[in-house]
Amino acid sequence: MKFTAKTDGSDPAPARTPFNSSGNIITIRFNLAVATDATLAIDLAGTILHESIHAELHRLKLTNNSGPNPLPASLFNWYMQMWSFYEAINNEDFDDPLDVLNQTAADSQHNLMAFRFIDPIASGLREFDENSYPLDNYKHYVWSDGLDEYGLDAGYITDNELTRLSILSKIVRDDNHKNTCD
Ligand SMILES: [Zn+2]
Protein backbone atom coordinates (compact mmCIF):
# COMPACT_ATOMS: atom_id res chain seq x y z
CA MET A 1 0.00 0.00 0.00
CA LYS A 2 1.40 3.37 -1.02
CA PHE A 3 0.25 6.86 0.02
CA THR A 4 0.69 9.76 -2.43
CA ALA A 5 -0.85 13.21 -2.95
CA LYS A 6 -2.19 15.33 -5.80
CA THR A 7 -3.81 18.77 -6.03
CA ASP A 8 -6.93 18.64 -8.20
CA GLY A 9 -9.59 21.33 -7.71
CA SER A 10 -11.99 19.55 -10.08
CA ASP A 11 -12.18 16.37 -7.93
CA PRO A 12 -14.43 16.70 -4.84
CA ALA A 13 -13.09 13.53 -3.15
CA PRO A 14 -10.50 13.93 -0.35
CA ALA A 15 -8.74 10.75 -1.57
CA ARG A 16 -9.05 7.99 -4.13
CA THR A 17 -7.85 4.39 -4.20
CA PRO A 18 -8.25 3.13 -7.78
CA PHE A 19 -8.61 -0.57 -8.47
CA ASN A 20 -6.37 -0.50 -11.53
CA SER A 21 -3.14 -0.08 -9.59
CA SER A 22 -0.20 -1.68 -11.33
CA GLY A 23 1.85 -4.49 -9.87
CA ASN A 24 1.31 -5.58 -6.29
CA ILE A 25 1.04 -2.08 -4.88
CA ILE A 26 -2.31 -0.40 -4.27
CA THR A 27 -1.96 3.40 -4.26
CA ILE A 28 -4.04 5.76 -2.10
CA ARG A 29 -3.85 9.30 -3.46
CA PHE A 30 -4.92 12.23 -1.27
CA ASN A 31 -6.27 15.37 -2.92
CA LEU A 32 -4.63 18.36 -1.23
CA ALA A 33 -7.25 20.66 -2.80
CA VAL A 34 -9.85 19.00 -0.54
CA ALA A 35 -7.87 17.61 2.41
CA THR A 36 -6.33 20.94 3.43
CA ASP A 37 -4.61 22.18 6.59
CA ALA A 38 -8.06 23.26 7.78
CA THR A 39 -9.41 19.69 7.63
CA LEU A 40 -10.15 18.34 11.08
CA ALA A 41 -7.61 15.67 12.04
CA ILE A 42 -10.39 13.22 12.87
CA ASP A 43 -11.90 13.70 9.39
CA LEU A 44 -8.53 12.97 7.83
CA ALA A 45 -8.04 9.93 10.07
CA GLY A 46 -11.47 8.69 8.94
CA THR A 47 -10.49 9.13 5.29
CA ILE A 48 -7.22 7.22 5.83
CA LEU A 49 -9.13 4.29 7.40
CA HIS A 50 -11.83 4.38 4.68
CA GLU A 51 -9.29 4.34 1.84
CA SER A 52 -7.19 1.65 3.56
CA ILE A 53 -10.28 -0.59 3.71
CA HIS A 54 -10.81 0.01 -0.04
CA ALA A 55 -7.20 -1.11 -0.59
CA GLU A 56 -7.67 -4.24 1.52
CA LEU A 57 -10.98 -5.09 -0.21
CA HIS A 58 -9.23 -4.65 -3.60
CA ARG A 59 -6.62 -7.14 -2.40
CA LEU A 60 -9.23 -9.63 -1.24
CA LYS A 61 -11.02 -9.44 -4.62
CA LEU A 62 -7.75 -9.82 -6.55
CA THR A 63 -6.57 -12.77 -4.43
CA ASN A 64 -9.96 -14.48 -4.02
CA ASN A 65 -10.02 -13.81 -0.25
CA SER A 66 -6.55 -15.09 0.57
CA GLY A 67 -4.83 -14.35 3.89
CA PRO A 68 -3.59 -12.66 5.95
CA ASN A 69 -6.96 -11.72 7.47
CA PRO A 70 -9.45 -13.05 4.90
CA LEU A 71 -13.12 -12.17 5.35
CA PRO A 72 -15.39 -14.89 6.76
CA ALA A 73 -16.45 -16.98 3.72
CA SER A 74 -20.12 -15.95 3.99
CA LEU A 75 -19.19 -12.26 4.05
CA PHE A 76 -16.77 -12.63 1.12
CA ASN A 77 -19.51 -14.38 -0.88
CA TRP A 78 -21.88 -11.54 -0.03
CA TYR A 79 -19.23 -9.02 -1.22
CA MET A 80 -18.90 -10.93 -4.52
CA GLN A 81 -22.71 -11.00 -4.95
CA MET A 82 -22.76 -7.22 -4.46
CA TRP A 83 -19.90 -7.00 -6.99
CA SER A 84 -21.93 -8.89 -9.64
CA PHE A 85 -25.05 -6.89 -8.86
CA TYR A 86 -23.34 -3.51 -9.35
CA GLU A 87 -21.22 -4.71 -12.29
CA ALA A 88 -24.39 -5.46 -14.29
CA ILE A 89 -25.71 -1.94 -13.58
CA ASN A 90 -22.39 -0.23 -14.32
CA ASN A 91 -21.98 -2.15 -17.58
CA GLU A 92 -25.11 -0.35 -18.74
CA ASP A 93 -23.93 3.05 -17.52
CA PHE A 94 -20.29 3.19 -18.62
CA ASP A 95 -18.48 2.51 -21.92
CA ASP A 96 -14.91 2.26 -20.56
CA PRO A 97 -14.23 -1.11 -18.85
CA LEU A 98 -11.91 0.68 -16.40
CA ASP A 99 -14.79 2.95 -15.34
CA VAL A 100 -17.01 -0.11 -14.87
CA LEU A 101 -14.30 -1.74 -12.73
CA ASN A 102 -13.67 1.25 -10.48
CA GLN A 103 -17.35 2.14 -10.05
CA THR A 104 -18.19 -1.50 -9.28
CA ALA A 105 -15.39 -1.62 -6.68
CA ALA A 106 -16.63 1.63 -5.12
CA ASP A 107 -20.30 0.53 -5.05
CA SER A 108 -19.78 -2.98 -3.69
CA GLN A 109 -17.18 -1.89 -1.14
CA HIS A 110 -19.23 1.10 0.08
CA ASN A 111 -22.21 -1.20 0.57
CA LEU A 112 -20.02 -3.63 2.52
CA MET A 113 -18.52 -0.82 4.62
CA ALA A 114 -22.00 0.56 5.40
CA PHE A 115 -23.10 -2.98 6.35
CA ARG A 116 -20.18 -4.10 8.51
CA PHE A 117 -17.42 -1.48 8.96
CA ILE A 118 -19.14 1.50 10.63
CA ASP A 119 -18.39 0.40 14.19
CA PRO A 120 -14.80 -0.81 13.53
CA ILE A 121 -13.85 2.48 11.82
CA ALA A 122 -15.65 4.56 14.48
CA SER A 123 -13.77 2.58 17.11
CA GLY A 124 -10.44 3.45 15.43
CA LEU A 125 -11.40 7.14 15.41
CA ARG A 126 -12.43 6.97 19.07
CA GLU A 127 -9.04 5.49 19.93
CA PHE A 128 -7.33 8.22 17.86
CA ASP A 129 -9.32 10.78 19.94
CA GLU A 130 -8.02 9.16 23.14
CA ASN A 131 -11.44 7.61 23.87
CA SER A 132 -12.87 11.00 24.80
CA TYR A 133 -16.54 10.14 24.07
CA PRO A 134 -18.86 7.15 23.47
CA LEU A 135 -18.68 5.37 20.10
CA ASP A 136 -21.79 7.08 18.68
CA ASN A 137 -19.98 10.43 18.76
CA TYR A 138 -17.60 9.19 16.04
CA LYS A 139 -19.96 7.38 13.65
CA HIS A 140 -20.92 10.49 11.66
CA TYR A 141 -17.30 10.81 10.50
CA VAL A 142 -17.58 7.28 9.06
CA TRP A 143 -21.01 7.62 7.40
CA SER A 144 -20.17 11.00 5.85
CA ASP A 145 -17.31 9.51 3.79
CA GLY A 146 -19.89 8.61 1.10
CA LEU A 147 -21.41 5.65 2.96
CA ASP A 148 -24.65 7.39 4.04
CA GLU A 149 -26.42 7.04 0.67
CA TYR A 150 -25.62 3.30 0.58
CA GLY A 151 -26.79 2.86 4.17
CA LEU A 152 -30.05 4.70 3.48
CA ASP A 153 -30.70 2.77 0.24
CA ALA A 154 -30.08 -0.59 1.90
CA GLY A 155 -31.95 0.30 5.10
CA TYR A 156 -28.93 -0.06 7.41
CA ILE A 157 -29.58 3.44 8.81
CA THR A 158 -32.35 6.07 8.81
CA ASP A 159 -32.27 9.81 8.17
CA ASN A 160 -33.24 10.42 11.79
CA GLU A 161 -30.35 8.34 13.07
CA LEU A 162 -27.89 10.09 10.71
CA THR A 163 -29.12 13.45 12.03
CA ARG A 164 -28.65 12.28 15.62
CA LEU A 165 -25.09 11.11 14.85
CA SER A 166 -24.29 14.37 13.08
CA ILE A 167 -25.29 16.34 16.18
CA LEU A 168 -23.18 14.07 18.41
CA SER A 169 -20.15 14.51 16.11
CA LYS A 170 -20.16 18.28 16.72
CA ILE A 171 -19.19 17.64 20.34
CA VAL A 172 -15.98 16.02 19.09
CA ARG A 173 -15.42 18.79 16.55
CA ASP A 174 -16.01 21.72 18.89
CA ASP A 175 -14.27 20.64 22.08
CA ASN A 176 -10.86 21.89 23.18
CA HIS A 177 -9.22 18.49 22.90
CA LYS A 178 -6.31 18.59 20.46
CA ASN A 179 -5.36 15.60 18.32
CA THR A 180 -1.75 15.14 17.27
CA CYS A 181 -2.47 16.55 13.80
CA ASP A 182 -4.92 19.40 14.66
ZN1 LIG B 1 -14.83 5.15 -0.77
Side-chain angles (χ1 to χ4, degrees):
M1 201 156 80
K2 180 178 159 189
F3 290 91
T4 63
K6 64 174 180 180
T7 301
D8 180 356
S10 68
D11 183 353
R16 291 197 184 271
T17 307
F19 195 85
N20 58 314
S21 304
S22 55
N24 292 323
I25 296 183
I26 294 168
T27 299
I28 297 173
R29 181 164 290 122
F30 284 85
N31 185 1
L32 301 181
V34 180
T36 66
D37 285 349
T39 304
L40 206 61
I42 201 139
D43 257 330
L44 205 50
T47 301
I48 291 170
L49 292 174
H50 176 105
E51 298 302 325
S52 301
I53 292 171
H54 273 308
E56 175 64 358
L57 292 173
H58 289 354
R59 186 191 70 79
L60 291 171
K61 170 75 167 80
L62 288 165
T63 64
N64 197 26
N65 201 33
S66 76
N69 304 313
L71 291 174
S74 60
L75 193 60
F76 181 72
N77 290 339
W78 188 88
Y79 169 33
M80 290 301 96
Q81 281 170 12
M82 283 294 115
W83 188 285
S84 302
F85 171 79
Y86 286 115
E87 193 172 46
I89 295 170
N90 292 325
N91 264 323
E92 300 291 320
D93 291 348
F94 297 96
D95 293 328
D96 186 340
L98 210 53
D99 290 339
V100 173
L101 182 64
N102 276 310
Q103 191 58 48
T104 299
D107 288 335
S108 58
Q109 294 171 5
H110 284 161
N111 201 317
L112 181 56
M113 284 191 228
F115 183 39
R116 283 293 173 87
F117 285 84
I118 301 298
D119 284 10
I121 301 172
S123 174
L125 295 179
R126 181 171 183 264
E127 192 179 326
F128 175 68
D129 198 38
E130 299 177 291
N131 303 312
S132 299
Y133 303 100
L135 194 64
D136 275 4
N137 289 71
Y138 302 92
K139 291 180 183 174
H140 165 80
Y141 297 104
V142 187
W143 283 111
S144 63
D145 268 335
L147 303 185
D148 40 10
E149 57 188 283
Y150 291 87
L152 289 170
D153 278 354
Y156 307 144
I157 188 98
T158 62
D159 268 319
N160 280 346
E161 180 68 356
L162 285 173
T163 301
R164 187 181 75 85
L165 295 174
S166 171
I167 292 165
L168 286 174
S169 76
K170 293 185 173 66
I171 297 168
V172 180
R173 187 193 67 190
D174 295 338
D175 69 6
N176 292 318
H177 182 249
K178 287 282 170 208
N179 290 112
T180 320
C181 307
D182 271 332

